[in-house]
């Protein structure tokens, strides 16, 4: 999986910035933003190297209590007085006197369209799961935030990027928006019958595209130079499905196109396979960055399955949008782009023998054949042409023994100690596999999708029953406990986890159970259930 969750990048970004400071003139790459407080400079360097805070994200999220010019002037005086080596206690006092506690630029917000008992709850047969879903529906009120006016009037005093409309955040230490998190949050909000909240969040993202040309990874200035998987067009599609607000689409169709243009103009790469050149896309940060596998592979050197699947889907949706608005010339343009990408996905990333798509390594010219759930993103995005790939994908899941995991699909099979590796499982990656299989016309694929959904629901429900909390990730090797790894403690909340659970409860509410594991759902039975199907495929 070439995507690393943006929150993990906070520490990595800071380490890169500090490395740049130490290298001096050798560091040619620019900082991620102009702020000499939040993105580069001696103040940031000394505070982070002194480890004043247990969480490296805390300092860069703290608002200023005096004007930034005064902060920098006072720091320079202090720095000179101590020959660029300020004692830790004095540095802590400086921070206390010039910064406010994090999150003070935000107010809690209860969405105005929140209401009791949305319709989807009535479709959940299991009484315990229905009550749980009702409690998750309540959580939207706790995760709502709105920015204080001062973030708009004095933007240099904050690392927060101003958003005009209130929004729903992931939770825990993450009190700003995150791009791809928000898609699954919106899916949950729409099930909770909260389209106005979703529309406000969409307006925030559209404003960002109009301002920066793309949507930053998250709502902080230190994220400005990088994006996450481009799901804005899909967000619009889901909003339209629930509201049929064609006027809103008409108003913003060109902004949707502008975001795709960013990826086409700034993040494209040509790959030659079999003597033919194909244009695909990659994640690339102009100031450098760690890879999505942390130190093992550089992100910019990969052509990732997930990104190109998301773009393929977006191109198809945008073509449909233009057609609905009567602009057939633009519709044909984006449908042609989708067709070209579909051919490129098959030529460059698809592996027929293994039954999955794999990231292409630009340096080696080979596929990275390690397991990641994102290897099956084309199924989720509907970006494949041969229906037989579903059968092959089922065999791929069997061959990699993914169906033996009882508590969820692991992020990888590499136990690196990092949060985007084994044994952690993340909600959006469950969705990529489950819905990818569920969309198939194959009854067996649909049944495997349901059983994977049952596993994930059981894990989330069991942990919630013990802790009264939802988490950003879960450990599939220890009975489905909250996950770990990375540079911060596992966070409660949790926006996209809630959204995926509500989606699964809505899709399978008449079948999912909260009780003991029936024999049919035991992991080995899941694999055995596939055996006749796999034998037929083999012969």
């Amino acid at each position: 999986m070439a995507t690393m969750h943006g929150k993990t990048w906070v520490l990595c970004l800071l380490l890169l910035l500090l490395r740049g400071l130490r290298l001096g003139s050798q560091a040619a790459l620019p900082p991620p933003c102009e702020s000499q407080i939040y993105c580069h400079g001696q103040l940031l360097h000394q505070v982070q190297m002194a480890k004043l805070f247990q969480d490296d994200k805390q300092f860069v999220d703290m608002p200023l209590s005096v004007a930034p010019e005064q902060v920098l002037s006072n720091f320079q005086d202090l720095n000179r007085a101590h020959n660029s080596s300020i004692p830790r206690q004095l540095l802590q006092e400086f921070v206390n006197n010039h910064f406010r506690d994090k999150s003070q630029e935000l107010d809690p917000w209860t969405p105005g369209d929140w209401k009791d008992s949305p319709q989807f709850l009535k479709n959940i047969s299991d009484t315990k799961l229905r009550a749980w879903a009702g409690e998750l529906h309540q959580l939207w009120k706790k995760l709502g935030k709105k920015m204080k006016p001062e973030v708009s009037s004095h933007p240099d005093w904050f690392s927060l990027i101003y958003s005009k409309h209130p929004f729903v955040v992931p939770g825990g230490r993450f009190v700003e928006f995150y791009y791809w998190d928000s898609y699954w949050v919106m899916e949950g909000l729409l099930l909770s019958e909260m389209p106005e909240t979703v529309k406000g969040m969409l307006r925030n993202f559209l404003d960002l595209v109009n301002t920066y040309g793309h949507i930053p990874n998250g709502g902080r200035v230190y994220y400005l130079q990088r994006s996450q998987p481009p799901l804005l067009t899909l967000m619009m599609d889901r909003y339209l499905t629930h509201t049929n607000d064609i006027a809103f689409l008409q108003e913003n169709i060109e902004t949707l196109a502008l975001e795709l243009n960013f990826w086409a103009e700034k993040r494209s790469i040509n790959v030659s396979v079999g003597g033919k050149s194909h244009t695909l896309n990659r994640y690339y940060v102009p100031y450098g960055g760690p890879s999505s596998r942390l130190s093992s592979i550089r992100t910019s050197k990969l052509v990732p399955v997930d990104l190109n699947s998301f773009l393929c889907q977006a191109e198809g949706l945008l073509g449909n949008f233009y057609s609905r608005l009567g602009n057939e010339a633009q519709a044909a343009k984006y449908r042609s782009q989708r067709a070209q990408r579909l051919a490129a996905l098959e030529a460059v990333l698809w592996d027929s023998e293994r039954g999955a798509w794999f990231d292409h390594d630009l340096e080696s010219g080979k596929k990275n054949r390690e397991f990641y759930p994102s290897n099956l993103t084309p199924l989720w995005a509907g970006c494949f042409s041969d229906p037989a790939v579903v059968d092959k994908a089922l065999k791929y899941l069997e061959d990699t023994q993914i169906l033996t995991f009882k508590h969820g699909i692991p992020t990888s099979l590499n136990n690196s100690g990092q949060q985007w590796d084994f044994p952690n499982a993340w909600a959006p990656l469950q969705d990529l596999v489950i819905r990818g299989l569920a969309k198939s016309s194959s009854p067996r694929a649909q049944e495997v999708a349901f059983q994977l959904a049952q596993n994930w629901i059981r894990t989330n429900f069991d942990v919630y029953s013990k802790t009264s909390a939802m988490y950003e990730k879960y450990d599939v090797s220890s009975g489905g406990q909250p996950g770990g790894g990375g540079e911060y403690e596992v966070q409660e909340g949790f926006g996209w986890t809630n959204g995926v659970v509500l989606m699964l409860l809505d899709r399978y509410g008449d079948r999912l159970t909260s009780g003991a594991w029936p024999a049919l759902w035991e992991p080995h039975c899941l694999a055995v259930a596939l055996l006749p199907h796999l034998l037929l495929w083999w012969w």
Side-chain angles (χ1 to χ4, degrees):
M1 184 186 70
T3 303
M4 180 173 70
H5 201 272
K7 301 158 196 168
T8 303
W9 280 67
V10 176
L11 176 62
C12 299
L13 292 174
L14 294 172
L15 291 174
L16 284 166
L17 294 171
L18 298 179
R19 178 176 178 270
L21 286 167
R22 290 194 295 271
L23 289 175
S25 61
Q26 297 179 32
L29 295 172
C33 81
E34 296 179 358
S35 172
Q36 296 184 52
I37 296 173
Y38 296 115
C39 288
H40 66 109
Q42 278 294 319
L43 173 56
L44 175 64
H45 173 72
Q46 292 208 32
V47 169
Q48 300 294 44
M49 293 302 289
K51 288 289 182 184
L52 297 185
F53 304 98
Q54 183 176 359
D55 186 345
D56 288 288
K57 190 177 188 297
Q58 182 166 339
F59 173 68
V60 290
D61 289 355
M62 294 170 66
L64 304 182
S65 56
V66 297
E69 298 82 6
Q70 191 63 53
V71 172
L72 291 172
S73 176
N74 292 351
F75 176 77
Q76 289 168 3
D77 291 343
L78 182 64
N79 201 33
R80 279 194 297 266
H82 293 277
N83 197 26
S84 299
S85 183
I86 304 171
R88 191 175 189 278
Q89 182 177 349
L90 291 180
L91 192 59
Q92 183 72 69
E93 291 176 2
F94 178 89
V95 171
N96 294 343
N97 292 333
H98 292 79
F99 291 81
R100 292 181 285 161
D101 290 339
K102 63 177 293 186
S103 303
Q104 291 192 15
E105 69 273 48
L106 293 160
D107 284 327
W109 172 70
T110 300
D113 54 352
W114 189 94
K115 61 182 180 183
D116 285 316
S117 303
Q119 182 64 36
F120 85 94
L121 293 176
K122 300 175 184 177
N123 300 325
I124 302 173
S125 299
D126 187 291
T127 56
K128 292 182 179 179
L129 293 182
R130 189 188 316 130
W132 177 42
E135 293 183 28
L136 299 187
H137 173 63
Q138 294 277 344
L139 287 179
W140 299 132
K141 295 187 290 185
K142 296 182 179 180
L143 296 174
K145 302 289 181 183
K146 64 178 180 180
M147 295 192 186
K148 294 180 178 178
E150 62 194 80
V151 182
S152 175
S153 60
H154 296 86
D156 293 346
W157 292 46
F158 307 91
S159 66
L160 201 65
I161 300 172
Y162 180 70
S163 293
K164 181 179 179 181
H165 303 278
F167 50 92
V168 174
V169 301
R173 74 203 281 260
F174 307 117
V175 297
E176 55 280 303
F177 75 78
Y178 285 86
Y179 184 8
W180 76 318
D181 289 60
S182 296
Y183 163 69
W184 283 276
V185 168
M186 288 180 184
E187 287 278 18
L189 291 171
L190 290 169
L191 284 173
S192 290
E193 300 172 24
M194 299 168 64
E196 287 305 308
T197 296
V198 170
K199 188 174 185 178
M201 294 171 68
L202 277 170
R203 287 193 185 278
N204 289 338
F205 286 140
L206 292 160
D207 287 344
L208 289 166
V209 174
N210 287 324
T211 300
Y212 301 109
H214 69 284
I215 298 174
N217 177 106
R220 299 281 178 178
V221 294
Y222 48 73
Y223 289 134
L224 276 175
Q225 296 302 320
R226 65 180 305 268
S227 186
Q228 282 184 328
L231 297 175
L232 180 60
T233 304
L234 179 59
M235 294 175 185
M236 177 67 81
D237 178 69
R238 302 307 299 139
Y239 170 76
L240 290 174
T241 299
H242 283 259
T243 66
N244 200 32
D245 189 351
I246 300 300
F248 186 62
L249 174 63
Q250 178 76 65
E251 175 188 346
N252 295 288
I253 185 73
E254 295 304 318
T255 304
L256 297 178
L258 182 62
E259 187 197 28
L260 291 194
N261 289 344
F262 164 83
W263 289 93
E265 296 172 4
K266 306 288 188 181
R267 301 291 187 266
S268 64
I269 188 80
N270 291 326
V271 181
S272 294
V273 175
K276 184 176 181 179
S277 180
H278 301 273
T279 300
L280 288 164
N281 290 82
R282 60 175 174 165
Y283 297 109
Y284 173 72
V285 183
Y287 59 90
S291 78
S292 62
R293 319 286 191 269
L294 297 179
S295 61
S296 62
I297 300 175
R298 293 179 298 281
T299 301
S300 64
K301 298 301 182 182
L302 288 177
V303 178
V305 172
D306 54 6
L307 172 61
N308 285 283
S309 302
F310 294 137
L311 286 169
C312 175
Q313 181 186 56
E315 289 158 348
L317 290 173
L318 199 55
N320 293 341
F321 290 165
Y322 273 116
S323 186
R324 291 177 69 177
L325 297 175
N327 190 334
E328 289 302 329
Q330 285 294 92
K333 169 187 171 181
Y334 284 101
R335 286 168 180 161
S336 175
Q337 289 182 6
R338 179 186 182 276
Q340 292 174 27
R341 190 179 300 275
L342 202 60
L345 280 167
E346 181 173 346
V348 180
L349 305 181
W350 170 247
D351 186 325
S352 180
E353 290 185 7
R354 287 175 171 80
W357 296 260
F358 297 97
D359 297 349
H360 177 81
D361 189 317
L362 292 167
E363 289 190 328
S364 69
K366 299 178 180 178
K367 295 179 176 67
N368 174 13
R369 290 191 172 90
E370 293 185 33
F371 170 79
Y372 304 104
S374 57
N375 292 346
L376 299 184
T377 307
L379 297 182
W380 181 89
C383 285
F384 60 94
S385 56
D386 182 3
V389 302
V390 178
D391 294 338
K392 294 183 178 182
L394 285 174
K395 185 175 186 300
Y396 171 68
L397 292 174
E398 217 285 322
D399 288 345
T400 52
Q401 299 187 336
I402 297 304
L403 301 181
T404 65
F405 288 97
K406 181 177 180 180
H407 300 286
I409 302 167
T411 303
S412 79
L413 298 178
N414 177 27
N415 194 347
S416 69
Q418 298 299 334
Q419 63 173 355
W420 282 94
D421 273 320
F422 187 87
N424 287 334
W426 297 74
L429 303 184
Q430 313 302 306
D431 184 50
L432 293 183
V433 176
I434 291 170
R435 272 202 292 166
L437 296 174
K439 290 178 181 180
S440 164
S441 60
S442 163
R444 290 192 179 274
Q446 293 174 11
E447 184 60 22
V448 171
F450 165 70
Q451 293 177 14
L452 292 172
Q454 177 68 79
N455 289 350
W456 188 246
I457 289 295
R458 184 66 51 74
T459 294
N460 282 248
F461 178 75
D462 287 351
V463 173
Y464 187 89
S465 298
K466 298 172 185 175
T467 66
S468 298
M470 299 291 288
Y471 293 90
E472 62 172 347
K473 55 185 178 281
Y474 294 83
D475 183 338
V476 300
S477 70
S478 62
Q481 297 303 308
E487 81 278 6
Y488 61 85
E489 295 297 321
V490 64
Q491 299 296 298
E492 297 181 12
F494 197 84
W496 65 7
T497 309
N498 304 351
V500 169
V501 163
L502 295 183
M503 291 170 69
L504 295 177
L505 289 172
D506 178 61
R507 178 182 284 269
Y508 299 115
D510 60 334
R511 298 179 66 191
L512 293 168
T513 67
S514 60
W517 292 86
L520 178 61
W521 294 330
E522 286 293 340
H524 68 276
C525 294
L526 187 65
V528 169
L530 279 175
L531 186 57
H533 165 75
L534 296 173
L535 289 174
L536 286 173
W537 177 84
W538 181 261
W539 292 106

